[in-house]
Amino acid sequence: MPQDLHENTSPEWAALFYLCGHYNRSGEKDAFVAALQELTQVGGSPAMSAAVYLDLESGAQRIALRHGEQSEPELLGTVNSGDPETLEQFLLWAFDTCPARRYILVMAGLGIMDADSVVGRPPFDSARLFAICDDRATNDAIELHELSATLKTVFPADGPRRLEMLACDMYAMQFMVVAYELRGLVDLLVGIQPRESQ
C-alpha cells in the first residue's frame, strides 16, 4: 500500500542528467561542478524530480532531487562512464529514486568528432566516430549503437515509462545517422551546433 501511494503521488515528469566530465580543457570541470551545484540548489519540484550522475577525474557521484527532501550526493568512486552498463545502472537507479511516466535525459561530455576525445577522435579513431560521453581515464566511450540498445532496454515500447526528450550537450550530435539510430526511442532529440572554430 505505501508503495502504491508513493507511485500515485510521484511527479509526471523527471529529468535525468548523465554528466561525463573527463575533459582535458582548462575550466571545463568548473562548469560541471557549477551545474551540479545549481541543480542541487533548485532541487525537485512538485511537477518534476531530478537525478544527476557526475563523473570527474576525482570520482563519480549521483544524487536524487525530490520536492521537499534534503539530498546528499552518493560517492561512487572510480567509474567508467564510457561503459553503456554504467548508463543503464544509473537509469535504473533513477527510475527507483525518481519514479515518473515521462522522462527527459540530458547527456553531456566530449562526443562525436570532438578533437579532444580519446575515443572516435578523427582521424586517429575513425571506426568509432559516433561515440559519446568520452571517459579519458578508461579510454572508453558509449558508441551510438550502445546508446540505442541501452535506451531500448530501459524504455521498452510497451513499458510504463517514456523518454520524451534526449538533450546532448556535446560537440556534433546533429548528424542524421544519430536521429536514424534513435528513431522510435525518443520523441525529441536536441543537440548543440558546433562552433566553426572547433
Side-chain angles (χ1 to χ4, degrees), residues 99-152:
R101 290 184 55 239
R102 303 170 187 272
Y103 285 89
I104 296 169
L105 175 59
V106 179
M107 302 182 75
L110 296 182
I112 296 173
M113 295 187 69
D114 194 303
D116 289 333
S117 292
V118 174
V119 175
R121 181 165 60 100
F124 307 105
D125 191 11
S126 58
R128 298 187 292 175
L129 286 181
F130 292 97
I132 64 173
C133 296
D134 193 87
D135 188 318
R136 181 173 296 274
T138 59
N139 196 32
D140 201 1
I142 300 174
E143 297 185 52
L144 185 56
H145 68 91
E146 295 174 326
L147 173 61
S148 176
T150 300
L151 295 181
K152 285 179 182 176

Side-chain angles (χ1 to χ4, degrees), residues 30-79:
D30 297 335
F32 278 91
V33 172
L36 176 61
Q37 291 174 343
E38 185 175 341
L39 288 167
T40 303
Q41 288 173 358
V42 172
S45 73
M48 179 178 287
S49 57
V52 185
Y53 169 91
L54 172 61
D55 189 16
L56 301 171
E57 283 86 347
S58 56
Q61 58 183 298
R62 66 187 183 188
I63 186 171
L65 306 171
R66 295 179 293 263
H67 179 65
E69 297 183 23
Q70 292 281 19
S71 299
E72 291 294 329
E74 177 185 356
L75 303 181
L76 304 175
T78 302
V79 179

